[in-house]
Amino acid sequence: MPFINSKISTNITPEQEKTIKEKLGQAISIIPGKSESWLMLGFEPNYKLYFRGDCSMPTAFVEVSVFGGENRQAFSALTAKICEIFQEVLGIAPDHVYVKYEAVSNWGWNGGNF
């Protein structure tokens, strides 16, 4: 039950959004037991982000929430992949991407909790 929400300082075209969706769908499997079949994605383009006191460069803040425990090694590998995706598709430099992870022990779906 992963959820990836991306706050992006630039506009994204429907084609770019589709490409990011597909690439994140593949990348989520870096975390053991996670797959695109349970992945939910959110995009917040044109989000006002200041980094180092400046908002002139394309920037992204990506939040990854997963049901279960932390896996620092997998999270690190996923961060590298997320940075690669955002640079490739949107031209956002990896040093302008923050990725936040949250391991969640209570996750609701379909009227109940896991």
Side-chain angles (χ1 to χ4, degrees):
M1 277 97 318
F3 173 60
I4 301 176
N5 190 49
S6 302
K7 296 176 181 180
I8 304 161
S9 69
T10 62
N11 186 43
I12 35 178
T13 67
E15 294 81 19
Q16 289 170 319
E17 186 174 301
K18 182 178 183 229
T19 300
I20 294 169
K21 175 198 76 74
E22 290 169 353
K23 290 179 177 291
L24 289 176
Q26 295 167 358
I28 197 62
S29 65
I30 291 171
I31 300 175
K34 307 303 177 195
S35 69
E36 185 177 22
S37 63
W38 287 97
L39 177 62
M40 183 179 282
L41 296 168
F43 295 98
E44 298 180 57
N46 299 312
Y47 195 90
K48 194 67 143 185
L49 291 169
Y50 285 83
F51 184 58
R52 300 180 181 137
D54 183 34
C55 68
S56 64
M57 298 290 292
T59 306
F61 179 68
V62 182
E63 299 169 289
V64 181
S65 299
V66 294
F67 177 68
E70 294 184 8
N71 184 326
R72 293 180 68 78
Q73 184 177 3
F75 289 176
S76 183
L78 183 56
T79 295
K81 191 64 177 173
I82 288 170
C83 287
E84 178 186 305
I85 291 166
F86 278 72
Q87 184 172 35
E88 178 185 309
V89 179
L90 298 175
I92 300 175
D95 69 345
H96 277 69
V97 178
Y98 271 178
V99 183
K100 173 189 160 193
Y101 291 90
E102 182 176 18
V104 180
S105 60
N106 292 292
W107 200 285
W109 171 73
N110 197 25
N113 284 1
F114 290 97

